[in-house]
Amino acid sequence: MDIFILCEKIKLQSKIKSCVIEFANDFDFSTVANQLRNFQYYEKMSEALTELQTILGEDTDNIKILACMLKASADVYEIYKDKGISDKIYFDTMKCYTRFIDETYKMTGKLYFDRYWWTSRQAGCHLFRIGELEYEMKHFGGNIVIGIHIPSDVDFSPSAIDNSLASAKQFFSTYYPELSKTEYRCHSWLLDRQLKEMLNGNSNILSFQSRFEIFNEGEIGTDFIEWLYNTKSTDYAMLPENTSLQKNVKKHLLSGGVIRNAYGRLK
């Protein structure tokens, strides 16, 4: 896969795409080949990212690191092809770049890539978008679990989630048969049991929650504010109240409540 074709296929924002191509045309990617290749080793991802940032140096709007992430993502297309994984899954997975930049633009009004700390998973072939959800092969010592992630553009209806989970189980049985019996887990504010008091019984969120056995109530977090309120501000009094969930969570926070990122395993 060519980095320029990848930018076209994922419909990268035109202004960002122009900057990426301008950088890529003048950059010798062989100088970071080891770091980009090391994204493919889960235990080396973090170190590889730190080394890459050091090599790239000052990076206005993170265009350099975005170009490198896209180059690594283009390179792993060969892994997809060797395994027989479809182009649909490949491009659905790599559209994360466009989605992340859109999310940041909605919050800041600026086209900017700020999710480089996350995308080594896509660039290293550890995470796949299968239907509505993303699935990460997470390493814990000598064990692997499938981590479920919820993209911001998800269709959260029960039928769509059913289809995604069924497709994921078939995917891993086919392409990673050693993981066919692996446990599926989710770590998210959407699993916080307190949400049951803030949503009606027909809620898609509660339907999603019901699929999991919560084995750890999790840590207190504020990252949910970005997804629920489309802002990173923690000035709770200024949070919008456009939906009943926004209104109820805001009331909960202003009364001294917290939201936790709970841990669940798929039943």
Side-chain angles (χ1 to χ4, degrees):
M1 175 64 58
D2 185 288
I3 186 174
F4 310 113
I5 294 174
L6 178 57
C7 288
E8 289 289 334
K9 290 286 189 179
I10 64 175
K11 295 181 169 59
L12 196 67
Q13 293 82 355
S14 58
K15 181 178 178 181
I16 296 291
K17 180 176 68 175
S18 296
C19 294
V20 165
I21 291 174
E22 181 180 0
F23 171 77
N25 280 334
D26 294 331
F27 185 67
D28 181 2
F29 283 101
S30 68
T31 60
V32 294
N34 288 338
Q35 286 71 33
L36 301 190
R37 190 179 306 110
N38 280 344
F39 287 154
Q40 297 174 26
Y41 302 93
Y42 201 89
E43 295 80 3
K44 295 182 179 181
M45 282 194 302
S46 179
E47 182 181 0
L49 177 59
T50 299
E51 291 175 355
L52 178 61
Q53 290 176 288
T54 299
I55 293 169
L56 294 175
E58 184 178 353
D59 189 5
T60 303
D61 290 346
N62 295 325
I63 291 297
K64 295 179 184 179
I65 201 163
L66 172 58
C68 289
M69 288 290 180
L70 289 167
K71 177 65 168 63
S73 297
D75 290 344
V76 299
Y77 181 71
E78 293 304 316
I79 296 177
Y80 279 72
K81 291 296 95 183
D82 288 346
K83 285 183 170 290
I85 301 172
S86 71
D87 278 2
K88 175 172 174 51
I89 289 178
Y90 174 77
F91 289 116
D92 283 353
T93 299
M94 299 311 169
K95 285 176 183 176
C96 67
Y97 294 101
T98 312
R99 184 176 78 249
F100 290 156
I101 293 168
D102 275 342
E103 289 168 359
T104 303
Y105 181 75
K106 288 176 183 177
M107 283 189 292
T108 68
K110 181 180 179 182
L111 286 172
Y112 183 73
F113 177 62
D114 65 354
R115 224 67 61 85
Y116 54 86
W117 54 270
W118 179 255
T119 52
S120 53
R121 291 161 176 78
Q122 287 89 342
C125 214
H126 306 293
L127 183 152
F128 304 92
R129 176 79 182 256
I130 304 173
E132 295 303 318
L133 302 173
E134 293 176 326
Y135 300 87
E136 178 187 357
M137 298 181 288
K138 303 181 73 170
H139 294 224
F140 295 100
N143 298 317
I144 299 176
V145 300
I146 305 299
I148 298 174
H149 303 290
I150 304 128
S152 63
D153 60 351
V154 65
D155 174 354
F156 222 29
S157 65
S159 60
I161 299 303
D162 282 342
N163 290 337
S164 178
L165 289 169
S167 296
K169 290 178 180 179
Q170 181 60 50
F171 173 90
F172 287 106
S173 292
T174 301
Y175 303 114
Y176 295 89
E178 70 278 13
L179 302 181
S180 61
K181 303 296 183 181
T182 296
E183 186 173 82
Y184 286 65
R185 293 185 181 182
C186 185
H187 176 213
S188 173
W189 69 277
L190 292 172
L191 298 186
D192 188 330
R193 291 192 177 103
Q194 297 175 103
L195 295 181
K196 292 179 181 178
E197 303 167 10
M198 307 177 201
L199 292 162
N200 65 53
N202 296 322
S203 163
N204 287 337
I205 292 175
L206 296 188
S207 173
F208 184 76
Q209 269 195 18
S210 70
R211 299 173 187 271
F212 294 87
E213 172 196 349
I214 307 302
F215 63 88
N216 187 322
E217 294 297 335
E219 67 283 355
I220 296 170
T222 57
D223 53 313
F224 72 92
I225 291 174
E226 178 177 347
W227 312 116
L228 180 56
Y229 296 101
N230 198 34
T231 180
K232 292 186 178 182
S233 172
T234 53
D235 182 353
Y236 298 152
M238 298 302 294
L239 294 175
E241 300 181 33
N242 299 320
T243 68
S244 59
L245 182 57
Q246 286 182 340
K247 181 178 181 179
N248 290 336
V249 171
K250 178 178 177 178
K251 180 180 179 181
H252 174 73
L253 295 172
L254 288 173
S255 67
V258 297
I259 297 293
R260 293 182 176 273
N261 293 309
Y263 295 79
R265 56 172 61 92
L266 197 64
K267 294 176 182 176

